[in-house]
Amino acid sequence: MAEPVKKGLEGIVVAESRTSLVNGQEGKLVYQGYPIETLAENALFEEVVFLLWNERLPNRAELENLRSAIAQGAVLPQGIIDQMKTYPKNSNPMAVLRTVVSALAFYDPDSEDNGVEANRRKAIRLTGQITTACAAWNRIRKGQEPVGPRADLNLAQNFVYMLEGKGPDQTASDAINVYLVLLAEHGMNASTFASRVTVATGSDMHSGIVSGIGTLKGPSHGGANAEAMNMFLEIGDPSNVANWFKTNIKEGDRRIMGIGHRIYKALDPRAAILEEHARLLAESSGNLKWFQIAKQLADTARADSYFIERKLYPNVDYYSAIVLYTLNIDVDMFTPLFAMSRVAGWSAHVMEQFANNRLIRPDVTYTGPMDLPWVPVDQR
Ligand SMILES: CC(C)(COP(=O)(O)OP(=O)(O)OC[C@H]1O[C@@H](n2cnc3c(N)ncnc32)[C@H](O)[C@@H]1OP(=O)(O)O)[C@@H](O)C(=O)NCCC(=O)NCCS
């Protein structure tokens, strides 16, 4: 008798991990012992990266060393920039990022070395290079020259600087830093699982991160932040929320993007933090419209029995869409920004997988036909 299939691997525990705890019933997220609320309020993204890779917070010198190593490692080889300039300008930025990260392996002196130190060096370089690639693509596709990273900036500041070619603006880089901290790691999410499956075959860090990027791209995962913003744009005005909800959700078969989660059956703690940041940013920008649409739609869903029964709450992608839009980030760059952060978690998991590896190879229940007779091709 075959085992019953757990569709979507729901509830299947595939590894022990020391990186993060996601408590879906209570709506808690903890990185290496630190509640996400504490980290969002206090941590520089690089502090979180150090924490995820070392299981402890850095002292000042260690933090400065990592910040500096990431900033210096963030430079893209000229060959990558030349190649990016040949890509079709309307390419999906996540597809560009996936290709760039794959190609970065050609230039990485450690690309085929899976040793502990080599993996650490690659994780540092990839953390910086993904940010540079995101900013560079956003400029290249608009016909602007890419701007390289500055060795004196932290990653959030460098992103804003490389995107704009000036600054960096303090408010924007502080908001990006919080965003990066919040999205850095999240248990055995789909893209992290994909990264671990890839390297568990003995493949390499770049391949693992490419798998993560390809998996994050989907609208059920990281792609939901852009889809949520497109939904808010479609609604267009707070006065349209009730009618949009009725037509598209109650009478239609659409989902509210940025709502619902496989693990969280309570409010995603990251959504609570981002809601507050979205509100503050919207207030200071003088344009509250998009925040109001999001808030009204979330409140409408939360009061609806369908959403109450299924315990569907806003997830991290819901209000992060408002944060990024208010910062004037292009909507199709939202998911690449997610990747800029999550590379920290992917690489932590890749290193954890290598430290105690066994091939990840689940089974399947065959439901196809059996014992068919062979019919020659011209008789079929
Ligand atoms: C995240 C997500 C993929 C989780 O999927 P899952 O754990 O497989 O849950 P399911 O797709 O089985 O959904 C469970 C039920 O809730 C409903 N549901 C889930 N998310 C919903 C949403 N955003 N809007 C409306 N209904 C939703 C499903 O229709 C299903 O109802 P049913 O039991 O009557 O069939 C899902 O909630 C979703 O598609 N959300 C929107 C995309 C999104 O925000 N993704 C980012 C996640 S961080």
Side-chain angles (χ1 to χ4, degrees), residues 10 219-222 224 249 254-262 265 270 306-307 310 312 315-317:
E10 181 165 2
S220 295
H221 192 6
I249 306 299
R254 288 175 67 178
R255 291 186 171 204
I256 301 185
M257 301 311 288
I259 284 194
H261 200 274
R262 174 62 65 77
K265 303 304 167 198
R270 302 164 301 174
Y306 179 92
F307 286 80
R310 289 166 183 74
L312 300 169
N315 59 53
V316 71
D317 294 316

